[in-house]
Amino acid sequence: MKHLLKLMDLSAKEISEILNLADQLKFEKKNGIKHPLLEGKTLGMIFEKSSTRTRVSFETGMYDLGGMALFLSSRDLQIGRGEPVEDTARVLSRYLDGIMIRTFDQKEVEDLAKYGSIPVINGLTDYCHPCQVLADLMTIREYKDGISGNKLCYIGDGNNMTNSLIVGGIKMGMEVSVACPEGYRPDAEIMQWAEKNGKFTCTDDVLKAAEGADVLYTDVWASMGQEAEAEARKKIFKGYQINAEVMGVAKSDAIVLHCLPAHREEEITAEVFEAHANEIFDEAENRLHAQKAVLVKCLSK
Ligand code: CP
Ligand code: NVA
């Protein structure tokens, strides 16, 4: 695997291999077994948006693997002053062994990979969040003893998370249902692909989508970059919430996941969040293990 730009680029087999390696790295870390698989390697991490989990898990992950990570805020890089991505890619390729980037436009990530000569890992764009969904699939596998055959229901804004969850869920044999208001649906091409390649539905009926679900998932109503729309979105998304009523129509042993950060009483009630905090924080922990697996797959040659 050269890059991780989006989950659509990976086969189910490649996703399973990443998850298997992530399980192994998690077991080794928990048991104090060192695994310096990236000794001497350097990862540059470009951030054009805020981050807690992605930044800290990539940085710690590189350290665990015997390498090091450089935090590169776009506020300080010349890219933030307009240096073309083609040039940034070619320069960073001379210094680093890999780049992780969090930015707005998916094209910027694809261009870094196109013009550079080192692996590029997508740490979130407006279009998708592949690293998060690998951790989500890892968590589902831990709680459900497998992924295929489970029903995943996403409630809320059809955003970067939704796009990646649909692709990852369908590729791994899950039934995926999405409840989004009209006008805030996931990417049209991804939905068409999902309809052709698996069991997929998109509705504005939250309870219908959640019926019989094994996994319930939600994310913020206003993503990074949409702060100005936050108040308007509160009205549009009212009711697109994981709450006791939604839990009541899902399977009795349904798990709840959230990529975080969470807005209690908006997309999820505080009650449901706290009742499912174990799953949600295992999911956050799994970012570390899943991304270490991605780093090993991309950077160790
Ligand atoms: N879920 C996630 O990507 O969190 P951060 O924005 O904190 O990195
Ligand atoms: N949809 C959210 C995900 C954060 C991890 C955002 O883009 O802000």
Side-chain angles (χ1 to χ4, degrees), residues 7 19 129-143 146-147 152 154 161-162 164-165 174 215 217-218 255 257-260 279-280 282-284 286-287 290:
L7 287 183
L19 301 184
H129 196 0
C131 290
Q132 178 67 52
V133 170
L134 289 171
D136 300 338
L137 293 169
M138 180 179 177
T139 312
I140 293 167
R141 211 162 77 152
E142 286 174 349
Y143 277 87
I147 301 173
L152 167 69
Y154 175 94
M161 276 312 315
T162 331
S164 287
L165 281 167
M174 298 180 92
V215 182
Y217 203 113
T218 189
I255 61 166
L257 299 179
H258 193 308
C259 57
L260 302 175
E279 293 120 62
I280 293 168
D282 280 346
E283 174 191 14
N286 284 340
R287 292 291 306 277

Side-chain angles (χ1 to χ4, degrees), residues 47 49-57 102 123-124 129 131-132 136 161 217 219 224 258-261 283-284 287 291:
F47 281 93
K49 291 178 176 176
S50 303
S51 171
T52 297
R53 282 144 288 270
T54 306
R55 181 193 171 171
V56 179
S57 55
R102 165 168 287 195
L124 179 145
H129 196 0
C131 290
Q132 178 67 52
D136 300 338
M161 276 312 315
Y217 203 113
D219 183 20
M224 288 181 276
H258 193 308
C259 57
L260 302 175
E283 174 191 14
R287 292 291 306 277
Q291 281 156 206

Side-chain angles (χ1 to χ4, degrees), residues 36-51:
L37 299 164
L38 296 182
E39 197 162 11
K41 304 265 185 190
T42 309
L43 177 78
M45 307 188 302
I46 302 173
F47 281 93
E48 301 195 23
K49 291 178 176 176
S50 303
S51 171

Side-chain angles (χ1 to χ4, degrees), residues 3-15:
H3 306 287
L4 175 59
L5 307 179
K6 54 186 183 303
L7 287 183
M8 199 60 105
D9 300 336
L10 302 186
S11 65
K13 184 168 174 274
E14 284 173 307
I15 294 174

Side-chain angles (χ1 to χ4, degrees), residues 44-51 55 70-83 85 88 92 99-105 108 112 124:
M45 307 188 302
I46 302 173
F47 281 93
E48 301 195 23
K49 291 178 176 176
S50 303
S51 171
R55 181 193 171 171
L70 284 149
F71 173 69
L72 306 167
S73 161
S74 63
R75 272 192 300 270
D76 306 318
L77 291 175
Q78 296 288 10
I79 204 170
R81 295 179 58 244
E83 183 169 15
V85 69
T88 305
L92 293 181
I99 301 172
M100 188 244 80
I101 177 164
R102 165 168 287 195
T103 189
F104 295 85
D105 192 355
E108 192 178 340
L112 259 188
L124 179 145

Side-chain angles (χ1 to χ4, degrees), residues 148-165:
S148 181
N150 284 295
K151 177 175 173 180
L152 167 69
C153 167
Y154 175 94
I155 296 169
D157 183 23
N159 59 17
N160 44 10
M161 276 312 315
T162 331
N163 289 336
S164 287
L165 281 167

